Amino acid sequence: MQIFRKLGWFFRQEKKAYIIGITALLLVAIVQVVPPKVIGIVIDEIADQNMSMQKIVTWVIVLVIMAILQYLLRYLWRKNIWGSAALLEKTLRKQLFHHFTKMDHQFFQTHRTGDLMAHATNDLSAIQKVAGEGILTFADSLITGGSTLIAMILFVDWRLTLIAVIPLPFLALVARILGSKMHEAFRDSQEAFSDINDKAQESITGIKVIKTFGQEKEDLADFDNKVAQAIVKNKRVYLLDSLFDPFITLIIGISYVLTIILGSHLIMNNELTIGELVSFISYIGLLVWPMFAVGRLFNVLERGSASYDRVQILLQEKTHIIEAQVPVVTKAAGKIKYGVNKFLYPEEKVANLQNIHFELEPGETLGIVGKTGAGKTTLIKLLLREFDNYAGEITWNGVNIKDYALDSFLPQIGYVPQDHFLFSMTVADNIRFANQEASMEQVEKAAQLADVHEDILGFSNGYQTMVGERGVSLSGGQKQRLSIARALLVNPELLILDDALSAVDAKTEETILQNLKQLRATQATIIVAHRLSSVMHAKEIIVIDQGQIIERGNHHELLANGGWYAKMYYKQQLEAKIEGGE
Ligand code: ADP
């Protein structure tokens, strides 16, 4: 019952719908005790040979009116109660999704995507059930059950009622016992189902790796094993189900038997008419559903309550990136001063970045190079405000980046990450992702600058070709260039290419770099790269190793220096020559 209190805010908010819905349920309960009574009366009149055409017509009219009333009232409660339940699911879904979009990287690192998806689907539907089925079964077991019992006593006989209801509490009891077993069995089977889903998803995504390593047989065996487990768990659900349903028939059967024994005795003593016994037997039929409802009620409430708690825990998690109380709303632009003395990822013990200082004026390009795992992306993450817990200060136009309103800050940066992401939409929409208003001309211009225009024209539907699972498959280089076009379209104050040219050939890289040079004459650019040709032209290049700057200067200075950069440069030149077949 606690869950009703937890959802109190929603029931108060939807007070009107629930009042109408529950009133309709109440009226249905009253209206539906009328037909059995009428049928009893008609039978008695027939038995007494008292029936006339006029009476038959009257009773038929009464029955038809009751049927129509029931129809309307049932429509009314369904609309209001199911409707409100759907609204609750929508409200929670929106809350949860908004929450997800606000959360920082740490959140997504600690929660697996599969888990978050489960919260957004299974848990929300369990909570939705409380507001729909939960309310219905609660009201139904009390109202329908109560009104039927009252009708039995008032219209027929209290002794008969007493006898008939004796077996019913057993039903509620068994429902409760089997219900909790059912709950566990159902949860296990759901988990087994999730397992199969996860496995299928992983195998399909990783099919290339599976095939390359000849692991099909093993993978298949693993999958079969999971399916077998799921079958065992599902069988248990069906077993419990098949134990319960016949039990209802049994209990109701006992009720009928007891009723008939006592009923015929009363009839013989002239204390009951045949019609009344017929009415009474119909009433027993009406009690079946409320009995079911009691059993179901606990189940629904229990699951809903557990799910509600799980969702609340997620909703209460706070993002670590918090906007300043009085944020600066002028759009970020101008000189960037990067000064990070020390940064550690949460849970790390050794500094991931140390003493990184540089300045970047509009129109300038900064190159960042270094081994894999040196800390280049980490450096960028701090600039993108993915983490705020570093010692030092990063300013843009003299303002600490933590003081900017996120909306005045992030849109000023065009970030092309290593692991580019394209959405399942058209090529054109993928490019205009950050600016939905962009014209086709602007989209094409951006594609030309990223040297991907010709490729796009070669696709079956040009710019309208679908990208993604059901669309065209793009090469790594094409994906990278589309991502660059997406960033260029918004003409950002700061463009960051994070190893974003790794999959394009040397010639294409040169074309794009040439285009950037012209395009970015008045704005800042940061290029993180493995291939040194990507950063050669930069005003300053910093070489990072183990989170620290080990060399810095322009291309010529670094070559003269004879350090890591110079060695790497000659090595890469040699490789290029060998690859070029020279
Ligand atoms: P690069 O971009 O130079 O290849 P990264 O900046 O990605 O290097 O990584 C620098 C170091 O930080 C690596 O040792 C990496 O393992 C570690 N690291 C990266 N991301 C995280 C994270 N989210 N949590 C903890 N450590 C991380």
Side-chain angles (χ1 to χ4, degrees):
M1 296 295 151
Q2 246 184 1
I3 180 70
F4 284 142
R5 217 181 52 228
K6 290 179 193 163
L7 282 174
W9 60 272
F10 180 74
F11 296 134
R12 274 192 294 279
Q13 179 195 313
E14 293 304 308
K15 205 164 46 190
K16 200 172 134 213
Y18 278 102
I19 290 176
I20 297 177
I22 292 173
T23 312
L25 269 175
L26 186 76
L27 294 175
V28 171
I30 295 170
V31 168
Q32 75 180 5
V33 300
V34 175
K37 180 68 191 161
V38 170
I39 290 166
I41 295 172
V42 171
I43 286 178
D44 277 343
E45 288 188 330
I46 293 171
D48 298 345
Q49 305 204 326
N50 233 346
M51 195 43 112
S52 68
M53 197 57 201
Q54 200 200 348
K55 276 187 186 164
I56 288 183
V57 172
T58 315
W59 287 127
V60 167
I61 290 174
V62 171
L63 287 177
V64 169
I65 290 175
M66 291 301 136
I68 293 173
L69 262 181
Q70 282 195 50
Y71 181 94
L72 292 177
L73 290 167
R74 289 208 159 109
Y75 165 78
L76 212 58
W77 77 245
R78 276 186 168 77
K79 181 173 175 294
N80 281 284
I81 294 182
W82 289 157
S84 299
L87 182 70
L88 174 65
E89 190 172 352
K90 183 177 127 189
T91 311
L92 288 175
R93 181 155 288 156
K94 259 169 112 176
Q95 261 183 25
L96 203 58
F97 192 75
H98 281 210
H99 187 66
F100 287 169
T101 54
K102 269 196 276 168
M103 293 314 281
D104 57 15
H105 289 254
Q106 213 175 323
F107 178 84
F108 292 102
Q109 212 171 317
T110 41
H111 297 281
R112 289 181 309 156
T113 315
D115 269 351
L116 296 179
M117 293 297 288
H119 287 305
T121 50
N122 283 2
D123 279 339
L124 291 194
S125 89
I127 301 170
Q128 182 256 17
K129 279 210 171 103
V130 173
E133 207 178 316
I135 290 284
L136 170 69
T137 44
F138 184 64
D140 232 16
S141 41
L142 285 182
I143 301 172
T144 314
S147 67
T148 310
L149 283 178
I150 293 172
M152 284 169 145
I153 297 168
L154 283 187
F155 293 161
V156 191
D157 189 276
W158 67 268
R159 290 164 295 180
L160 210 52
T161 310
L162 205 61
I163 287 286
V165 297
I166 286 175
L168 297 187
F170 289 102
L171 188 62
L173 187 72
V174 171
R176 179 92 182 97
I177 295 168
L178 286 182
S180 65
K181 284 202 174 22
M182 188 80 180
H183 179 58
E184 282 164 29
F186 188 71
R187 193 197 52 213
D188 289 351
S189 94
Q190 288 286 81
E191 273 169 15
F193 179 67
S194 294
D195 261 6
I196 294 182
N197 269 356
D198 280 350
K199 174 75 200 162
Q201 194 209 347
E202 204 175 288
S203 294
I204 292 168
T205 322
I207 192 73
K208 274 193 205 146
V209 181
I210 293 172
K211 279 187 190 277
T212 329
F213 286 95
Q215 291 296 306
E216 290 102 321
K217 256 198 203 134
E218 287 75 0
D219 196 58
L220 219 67
D222 193 18
F223 188 77
D224 286 351
N225 185 18
K226 291 205 154 54
V227 173
Q229 279 173 12
I231 289 177
V232 171
K233 291 182 174 146
N234 273 320
K235 270 190 182 158
R236 188 166 150 74
V237 173
Y238 295 130
L239 175 79
L240 290 168
D241 231 359
S242 51
L243 279 177
F244 187 61
D245 284 354
F247 195 75
I248 297 174
T249 331
L250 183 72
I251 289 286
I252 292 296
I254 296 173
S255 265
Y256 283 137
V257 171
L258 294 176
T259 304
I260 288 170
I261 294 172
L262 182 68
S264 42
H265 180 74
L266 292 175
I267 289 175
M268 279 188 285
N269 285 350
N270 278 337
E271 289 177 48
L272 195 75
T273 66
I274 295 176
E276 281 172 331
L277 185 63
V278 171
S279 301
F280 194 84
I281 285 173
S282 301
Y283 287 137
I284 294 180
L286 286 186
L287 277 182
V288 176
W289 170 235
M291 283 297 122
F292 256 130
V294 177
R296 284 261 278 274
L297 179 66
F298 292 108
N299 229 326
V300 170
L301 299 189
E302 222 170 88
R303 287 173 59 177
S305 184
S307 289
Y308 191 80
D309 292 346
R310 273 201 294 271
V311 169
Q312 285 308 312
I313 290 172
L314 267 193
L315 284 176
Q316 271 152 21
E317 279 196 37
K318 297 243 178 326
T319 173
H320 296 86
I321 305 302
I322 302 159
E323 209 165 63
Q325 288 212 322
V326 188
V328 176
V329 291
T330 27
K331 299 240 170 281
K335 181 177 178 173
I336 295 169
K337 274 178 95 169
Y338 192 100
V340 169
N341 302 327
K342 194 170 181 180
F343 168 72
L344 287 86
Y345 278 107
E347 321 275 322
E348 293 287 307
K349 302 221 161 39
V350 186
N352 295 95
L353 284 184
Q354 227 169 345
N355 289 327
I356 309 280
H357 295 265
F358 63 80
E359 291 184 7
L360 186 60
E361 296 270 8
E364 290 179 358
T365 298
L366 172 80
I368 304 178
V369 295
K371 289 183 213 148
T372 307
K376 305 180 293 293
T377 301
T378 308
L379 183 161
I380 300 298
K381 283 184 189 166
L382 302 192
L383 192 50
L384 291 171
R385 287 208 63 194
E386 287 185 18
F387 295 90
D388 268 356
N389 54 326
Y390 51 83
E393 196 179 57
I394 305 173
T395 61
W396 198 348
N397 202 16
V399 177
N400 190 325
I401 59 168
K402 293 180 192 173
D403 292 336
Y404 277 108
L406 288 171
D407 274 349
S408 307
F409 176 71
L410 288 176
Q412 300 299 92
I413 304 175
Y415 177 54
V416 188
Q418 253 164 340
D419 44 355
H420 38 73
F421 190 87
L422 296 174
F423 296 90
S424 301
M425 41 185 168
T426 63
V427 171
D429 286 343
N430 262 295
I431 296 179
R432 64 159 73 96
F433 181 72
N435 176 11
Q436 309 282 335
E437 257 92 70
S439 66
M440 228 17 244
E441 244 182 317
Q442 289 170 297
V443 169
E444 286 185 25
K445 181 86 203 310
Q448 275 160 359
L449 290 168
D451 204 23
V452 67
H453 177 66
E454 299 294 326
D455 296 59
I456 297 173
L457 293 185
F459 298 157
S460 55
N461 282 322
Y463 277 86
Q464 299 313 317
T465 309
M466 288 300 290
V467 180
E469 281 175 13
R470 264 171 271 149
V472 64
S473 21
L474 301 168
S475 73
Q478 284 170 334
K479 284 185 198 160
Q480 284 194 334
R481 282 175 286 148
L482 272 186
S483 310
I484 295 173
R486 176 193 285 165
L488 292 182
L489 181 87
V490 290
N491 203 15
E493 282 302 318
L494 170 64
L495 174 72
I496 303 174
L497 302 184
D498 189 349
D499 214 5
L501 292 166
S502 57
V504 301
D505 61 58
K507 201 169 147 282
T508 314
E509 177 188 43
E510 207 178 306
T511 313
I512 297 175
L513 289 173
Q514 275 304 325
N515 289 344
L516 285 184
K517 207 169 179 180
Q518 286 181 8
L519 187 72
R520 313 273 319 149
T522 57
Q523 291 144 318
T525 307
I526 295 180
I527 300 179
V528 179
H530 274 106
R531 210 191 288 152
L532 302 187
S533 52
S534 300
V535 294
M536 261 167 60
H537 67 286
K539 177 153 184 285
E540 184 177 32
I541 301 162
I542 55 178
V543 182
I544 311 259
D545 192 32
Q546 298 190 351
Q548 303 192 35
I549 298 179
I550 52 164
E551 284 171 51
R552 69 192 306 160
N554 64 27
H555 178 65
H556 301 291
E557 289 163 355
L558 286 170
L559 281 190
N561 218 357
W564 183 89
Y565 184 92
K567 260 190 237 145
M568 202 50 153
Y569 182 71
Y570 294 126
K571 189 170 160 234
Q572 288 185 358
Q573 278 223 314
L574 196 64
E575 280 169 1
K577 270 189 192 153
I578 294 168
E579 265 174 37
E582 286 174 37

